[in-house]
Amino acid sequence: MYSYADEFRALVDRPDDEIDLAAAALTIAAAAEPGLDIGYWQECLNEFAFGIDDLESLRKRLFTELGFAGDTEDYYDPQNSFLNRTIRRRKGIPITLSVLTMEVGRRAGIKLEGVGMPGHFLVRVAMTGEHIDPFFGGTLLDEAGCEQRFRQISGGDSQVPFGPEMLQVVNKKQILARMLNNLKAVYRARSDGSNLEWVVRMSMAIPEVGPMEVVELGHALAMQGQFLQGAELIDQVADKHPSVAEQLRLAALSIRASLN
């Protein structure tokens, strides 16, 4: 049976520099919208990149001419986590807008990197200290500006240390994992086991994701009334991972206890 999780696994189970970030992000979207024409949305990115030759023209195209901006009205709408819907609606959350910016930039020959600042994703111009904040209209930020944005978003106390360790470049697999984590949080909060299930299955396809992720999958199945199936799946993974087997078996036991 066809599985978007299997397709996603084929895209991410390779060296990071060989991953097509847009294709992988659009495959996540296709799992929510079966039959999605990934090629069409890839072509949209190609069209956006036409005629861009530097950072300023990239920012002008995306944030002035096309009007991309953060969704400040319904931030947790799952549509904001899907690249195709971000393209169509011209709004999204920081990470999808960052993927958009990186992928249009790549097509225009501008090397950009994802920066996993806690609570707010940014884009860095490679080999510089210059950052772009796609959520806030493509604003350019230096390190002091990034700190100001961090404190604005997090409401953090001014005594909380902020330094280069808060502005680490992340690879494509980490970006995709963070996109999926956002969706997991949304569907978990909505007790939407069906959607949570496919999101977790995709997350488990990323090589760096650890075996404990199966616990979330077990709970997603339990939300759909499949308690035994969820517990058995966790037990199967426990058999293959002795270092965390006890924790996994306790999680499986907890799910089975829900039947009583």
Side-chain angles (χ1 to χ4, degrees):
M1 186 175 69
Y2 181 80
S3 165
Y4 283 106
D6 289 340
E7 182 176 341
F8 183 74
R9 179 178 291 103
L11 288 168
V12 300
D13 193 12
R14 59 185 67 190
D16 207 78
D17 60 0
E18 295 179 12
I19 294 174
D20 184 332
L21 180 59
L26 288 165
T27 301
I28 294 173
E33 193 175 324
L36 180 74
D37 185 350
I38 290 175
Y40 170 81
W41 297 103
Q42 290 267 39
E43 187 56 35
C44 286
L45 297 174
N46 295 339
E47 291 176 6
F48 292 167
F50 184 77
I52 291 173
D53 53 16
D54 58 20
L55 181 62
E56 282 311 303
S57 57
L58 171 66
R59 292 173 62 234
K60 181 179 179 182
R61 174 68 51 78
L62 292 180
F63 306 108
T64 301
E65 296 174 5
L66 295 173
F68 281 99
D71 186 348
T72 57
E73 295 180 358
D74 195 1
Y75 189 94
Y76 296 102
D77 183 340
Q79 291 191 83
N80 287 324
S81 290
F82 300 127
L83 183 57
N84 67 310
R85 299 184 192 179
T86 293
I87 293 171
R88 183 172 63 220
R89 299 164 70 234
R90 299 291 197 265
K91 59 184 177 180
I93 53 175
I95 196 163
T96 45
L97 290 166
S98 293
V99 169
L100 168 81
T101 303
M102 293 168 64
E103 284 297 294
V104 174
R106 180 178 66 80
R107 286 161 169 77
I110 302 170
K111 185 171 174 53
L112 302 172
E113 304 166 323
V115 174
M117 186 172 77
H120 194 71
F121 207 87
L122 300 170
V123 172
R124 176 182 295 164
V125 183
M127 308 303 293
T128 76
E130 198 165 36
H131 296 77
I132 306 169
D133 188 342
F135 189 81
F136 288 101
T139 305
L140 290 178
L141 302 172
D142 57 12
E143 186 170 324
C146 291
E147 178 177 357
Q148 184 177 12
R149 182 73 78 221
F150 168 74
R151 300 199 186 286
Q152 172 193 349
I153 295 297
S154 67
D157 189 294
S158 60
Q159 300 303 311
V160 176
F162 186 94
E165 71 280 357
M166 305 285 270
L167 296 172
Q168 294 295 314
V169 172
V170 293
N171 63 32
K172 294 174 186 175
K173 292 174 186 175
Q174 291 170 315
I175 291 171
L176 293 164
R178 188 157 166 168
M179 293 179 77
L180 290 165
N181 283 339
N182 287 338
L183 280 169
K184 280 189 287 183
V186 169
Y187 292 134
R188 191 187 305 122
R190 298 181 178 200
S191 298
D192 185 344
S194 178
N195 277 312
L196 181 60
E197 178 185 349
W198 69 257
V199 172
V200 177
R201 288 188 186 278
M202 279 198 163
S203 181
M204 291 174 65
I206 299 174
E208 283 83 353
V209 172
M212 292 301 294
E213 185 77 355
V214 74
V215 175
E216 183 100 74
L217 180 55
H219 285 294
L221 291 169
M223 284 182 193
Q224 301 172 72
Q226 302 175 48
F227 296 94
L228 292 178
Q229 295 92 323
E232 288 168 3
L233 192 60
I234 295 172
D235 282 335
Q236 290 169 13
V237 173
D239 291 339
K240 300 173 184 176
H241 296 277
S243 63
V244 291
E246 184 176 356
Q247 294 167 268
L248 290 172
R249 294 196 192 287
L250 285 173
L253 184 63
S254 175
I255 289 176
R256 286 190 176 92
S258 300
L259 285 169
N260 299 329

